[in-house]
Amino acid sequence: MNLNRTDSKIAVFGSSGMVGSSIVRALKRSGYKNLLTPKRKDLNLLNYADLQKWFDKFEPEYVIIAAAKVGGIYANNAYPADFILENLKIQTNIIEISWKKSIKKLLFLGSSCIYPKTANQPITEEDLLSGFLEPTNQWYAIAKISGIKLCEALCRQYKFNAISLMPTNLYGPGDTYHDLNSHVIPSLIRRFVEAKINNKDFVTCWGTGIPKREFLHVDDLADACIFSLEKWDLNKSNSPKDKNGNLLYFLNVGTGIDISIKDLAILISQIIEFKGEIKWDVSKPDGTQKKLLNVSKINQLGWKSKINFKNGLEKTIDSYIKNII
C-alpha cells in the first residue's frame, strides 16, 4: 500500500485521546500532511447519520480507529452497559461507513483483553475465542472482538481492506489519571506522586501485586500503526498467517516482556523517590494473573518496539508532574 505523504487523506478517530494524539504526532513526524482529526465536541461517533454526513463532506481515503470508551478494572465493573454499548456503536458506525465509502484501507485498534483469561502464555493470535474472558473487563473485550470480526468479515466477503492491531497495556503522555477509572500505570503514578507531595507514610495498591503485565509505550504503538498502514498488505505472500496457513487479519503489538505489579509499584516509587511503605489491599481484584503477548508475527513482518520501559516510564512520570505543578 503506497500512501502519499503529501496527498493521502487520513482520518484519525479518537485523535484527542492518548493513543489517537500519539498517532497524529507520529504521522506528522513521518511527513503526512493531509490529516483529518475530528473532535468529540464536533462529531458524535454514536450517531450514524452525523458520521455519514462527515464522511460525505471530508472524503477520507484511509481511516484509523483509535476512538473508544476505556477504563480500568473499576470502571469496567461499574459501567458494563456503557462499555459494551458505546464501543459497539462507535466502531460499527465507522467501519460500516468506511466500507460503504470504499475507503482504501482501515486500521482498527483492539486490545489484548480480547484473549481468554486462561490463555497459554505468551498469547498468540490463534488464542482468540479459545476460552472464557476475564470477567472484570468482558464487556469491553466483547465489543473489541466484534470490531475485529466485523473487519475480518468484510475482508472475507467483500475484499474490504481492513486490518486490526491488538496492543498490550499502554502507557505514556496523555493518559487518564483518574483515581478510580484509570489503568494501572497512571493510577500508581498518581498515588505515589500524591503520597510524596503530602508526606504520607505509605501507599495502598490494589490486589496482591503478584499478577504480571506487559506494557507498551503509546509512541511505540503509533509507530506500529504507521508501519502497518504502509507495510502490511493482506494480498502479499509475506502477510502473516496462523499455524494452519490461514491469513491473519489482526496482529498482536507489544514488547514481549512483562513485569509483576509489585515490581512495577516498586519501580515507580523509586523513580518518584517515595520513601514510604507499599501496602497491598488484597480485598481488591487482581484480574488476570498473567498477560503476555506473543509478538512474533508483527516482528517477522518487520516491526519491533523501540522504547525502553524504564526510560519511557521516567518520561511519563516527568510529564505528569509537570502538568500538575
Side-chain angles (χ1 to χ4, degrees):
M1 180 63 62
N2 295 317
L3 286 83
N4 185 303
R5 300 195 176 196
T6 300
D7 298 325
S8 292
K9 195 179 291 187
I10 304 173
V12 182
F13 292 100
S15 61
S16 298
M18 177 177 73
V19 174
S21 60
S22 180
I23 291 172
V24 171
R25 292 193 302 269
L27 285 166
K28 289 179 178 179
R29 284 196 302 269
S30 297
Y32 287 97
K33 308 288 187 185
N34 204 351
L35 304 181
L36 300 170
T37 57
K39 302 298 186 288
R40 184 180 299 177
K41 62 182 178 65
D42 301 317
L43 179 61
N44 181 7
L45 300 178
L46 299 171
N47 188 306
Y48 188 95
D50 287 353
L51 186 58
Q52 193 167 38
K53 290 177 183 176
W54 185 92
F55 268 79
D56 290 340
K57 180 178 180 179
F58 293 100
E59 299 183 331
E61 299 172 276
Y62 301 86
V63 167
I64 300 173
I65 305 178
K69 180 177 179 61
V70 298
I73 288 177
Y74 172 83
N76 274 272
N77 265 332
Y79 312 107
D82 293 348
F83 272 86
I84 192 166
L85 270 174
E86 290 189 30
N87 283 302
L88 282 173
K89 288 180 180 179
I90 289 168
Q91 64 201 32
T92 302
N93 286 349
I94 299 172
I95 294 168
E96 182 179 4
I97 295 172
S98 295
W99 161 59
K100 287 182 176 179
K101 297 293 289 184
S102 299
I103 295 301
K104 292 180 180 179
K105 194 169 189 176
L106 178 143
L107 171 60
F108 175 69
L109 291 175
S111 166
S112 59
C113 72
I114 64 169
Y115 291 114
K117 180 176 181 177
T118 58
N120 293 325
Q121 304 289 327
I123 306 169
T124 67
E125 288 85 356
E126 291 95 326
D127 288 313
L128 182 64
L129 298 177
S130 64
F132 293 104
L133 297 168
E134 160 59 41
T136 57
N137 59 19
Q138 61 179 315
W139 322 103
Y140 179 74
I142 288 170
K144 286 297 184 180
I145 292 170
S146 298
I148 298 161
K149 287 300 182 180
L150 176 56
C151 288
E152 179 179 343
L154 290 170
C155 283
R156 288 174 175 268
Q157 186 172 347
Y158 296 107
K159 307 301 179 186
F160 180 54
N161 192 9
I163 57 174
S164 301
L165 294 180
M166 301 303 110
T168 190
N169 302 286
L170 299 170
Y171 73 99
D175 210 339
T176 300
Y177 290 86
H178 189 277
D179 192 39
L180 291 175
N181 293 342
S182 59
H183 289 105
V184 60
I185 284 184
S187 176
L188 290 174
I189 290 174
R190 173 174 172 163
R191 290 184 191 190
F192 281 105
V193 168
E194 289 181 349
K196 183 180 179 182
I197 291 172
N198 296 316
N199 295 311
K200 290 187 176 181
D201 295 327
F202 65 90
V203 166
T204 301
C205 301
W206 280 27
T208 64
I210 295 172
K212 288 190 170 184
R213 291 291 182 271
E214 173 187 15
F215 296 100
L216 179 74
H217 195 283
V218 69
D219 289 350
D220 262 341
L221 173 60
D223 181 63
C225 290
I226 296 174
F227 172 88
S228 298
L229 279 177
E230 295 178 343
K231 305 295 184 182
W232 181 13
D233 188 338
L234 293 170
N235 295 313
K236 287 190 175 181
S237 59
N238 71 334
S239 188
K241 299 173 180 62
D242 66 19
K243 59 186 177 183
N244 296 316
N246 299 312
L247 197 63
L248 285 170
Y249 297 89
F250 64 97
L251 295 177
N252 292 337
V253 185
T255 64
I257 302 169
D258 59 7
I259 182 174
S260 74
I261 301 302
K262 185 170 288 187
D263 287 341
L264 173 65
I266 292 170
L267 178 58
I268 290 174
S269 69
Q270 290 173 343
I271 294 171
I272 294 170
E273 297 182 343
F274 172 72
K275 305 299 184 182
E277 183 184 359
I278 301 175
K279 295 183 178 181
W280 296 91
D281 182 355
V282 297
S283 70
K284 296 296 192 294
D286 270 339
T288 304
Q289 286 298 300
K290 183 177 174 69
K291 190 167 65 174
L292 177 65
L293 296 183
N294 182 320
V295 292
S296 61
K297 297 297 185 184
I298 196 167
N299 288 169
Q300 290 167 11
L301 198 58
W303 181 88
K304 288 187 178 181
S305 63
K306 300 179 180 68
I307 298 174
N308 173 272
F309 181 54
K310 185 179 180 183
N311 292 343
L313 201 54
E314 289 172 341
K315 291 180 180 178
T316 300
I317 292 170
D318 185 58
S319 175
Y320 172 71
I321 291 173
K322 286 179 179 177
N323 284 330
I324 64 172
I325 293 175

